[in-house]
Amino acid sequence: MKTAIVIGATGLVGTELVKQLLVDARYSKVKIFVRKDPQIDNPNLETYVIDFDKIEDYKSQFTGDDLFSAMGTTLKTAGSQEKQYVVDFTYQYKTAEICAANGVKQFLLVSTIGASSSNAMFYLKMKGELEDKVQEFPFEHILIFRPSLLKGERKGNKRIMETISEPIFGFLTKIFLRRFTPIDAKQVAASMIAAANMDIQDKVRIFESSEMQNL
């Protein structure tokens, strides 16, 4: 039985990851590292409320088998590209660095469709740079997931453009671009857990959104 580590545990995909990991018999312990306690009562859950700007102070707690990284914010919430970069890149990179040094075996990262370090768009370039950099760490496996538009119930304020675009986007992709079909956060989480327990030979494996639909 394994120990899972989750960052971004209170987000759309992260919430589903925690729910599913806690009922998965392959995991005896789930550790979540959060800025605010989500108040989940489960004997298999360990909650660590931390300051990610001082993540080195918690280094000894980042032990386990599988690191699930689903952290992210929006430009509007962050307030600037610089602050968004800290959450979407720096926090996740530093967590992966610590976990790799502590002997965590697998790193599973939620990225986004179209991520590329050569992309001119800030968000896609940032995600692509993170994908590239974490591949330097000595994990046994690095599994990267690139979902399309995410469906699901978000905590707090909904993202208006996602609410408006989801039905339109879903209709168009059924006709023209199936790889961009919206995917439910529950499916992303289930795909990550399934992949974490598959016999994968390659060190690095990227799962595109369309592949996650059938994983």
Side-chain angles (χ1 to χ4, degrees):
M1 297 178 73
K2 299 195 290 183
T3 294
I5 304 164
V6 184
I7 62 170
T10 58
L12 186 59
V13 174
T15 298
E16 291 299 333
L17 272 170
V18 174
K19 286 180 182 178
Q20 295 182 34
L21 286 166
L22 286 173
V23 296
D24 193 309
R26 293 168 293 194
Y27 293 88
S28 59
K29 184 184 298 182
V30 179
K31 295 181 174 182
I32 62 172
F33 293 81
V34 293
R35 286 171 287 188
K36 185 178 180 180
D37 192 341
Q39 301 294 321
I40 301 171
D41 184 17
N42 188 292
N44 294 331
L45 180 69
E46 290 185 4
T47 301
Y48 298 87
V49 179
I50 73 169
D51 180 353
F52 280 91
D53 289 320
K54 300 177 181 177
I55 195 169
E56 291 288 343
D57 293 347
Y58 311 93
K59 184 175 180 179
S60 63
Q61 306 300 331
F62 283 92
T63 56
D65 299 284
D66 300 338
L67 167 60
F68 294 87
S69 185
M71 185 176 283
T73 188
T74 64
L75 182 59
K76 180 179 179 181
T77 300
S80 68
Q81 289 185 346
E82 291 75 16
K83 291 180 179 179
Q84 185 179 21
Y85 190 89
V86 169
V87 176
D88 280 55
F89 183 95
T90 306
Y91 288 168
Q92 295 189 96
Y93 178 84
K94 290 297 294 181
T95 302
E97 182 179 43
I98 288 171
C99 286
N102 285 352
V104 174
K105 297 177 181 178
Q106 296 194 105
F107 178 45
L108 299 99
L109 172 67
V110 180
S111 185
T112 186
I113 192 167
S116 171
S117 56
S118 61
N119 199 299
M121 186 180 295
F122 167 75
Y123 184 74
L124 298 180
K125 179 179 178 65
M126 173 179 62
K127 291 295 188 181
E129 288 177 349
L130 180 60
E131 289 185 6
D132 293 346
K133 291 295 289 182
V134 296
Q135 292 181 38
E136 299 172 3
F137 294 134
F139 293 104
E140 290 182 10
H141 298 109
I142 298 169
L143 309 180
I144 298 170
F145 300 80
R146 294 177 176 171
S148 181
L149 181 69
L150 288 169
K151 298 189 296 182
E153 290 297 323
R154 294 186 183 275
K155 294 180 180 180
N157 295 328
K158 290 187 176 182
R159 299 179 185 180
I160 302 301
M161 287 309 297
E162 287 187 359
T163 303
I164 296 172
S165 63
E166 183 178 311
I168 300 172
F169 203 61
F171 174 74
L172 292 175
T173 53
K174 286 181 181 179
I175 302 173
F176 301 109
L177 302 169
R178 293 187 63 85
R179 67 186 291 260
F180 293 100
T181 301
I183 184 170
D184 197 293
K186 293 179 181 180
Q187 180 63 53
V188 177
S191 298
M192 295 176 74
I193 296 170
N197 293 280
M198 290 170 56
D199 183 18
I200 295 176
Q201 301 301 315
D202 299 329
K203 177 183 176 180
V204 180
R205 175 78 180 274
I206 296 175
F207 296 88
E208 299 290 351
S209 196
S210 55
E211 187 175 1
M212 283 185 272
Q213 299 278 6
N214 302 313
L215 188 62

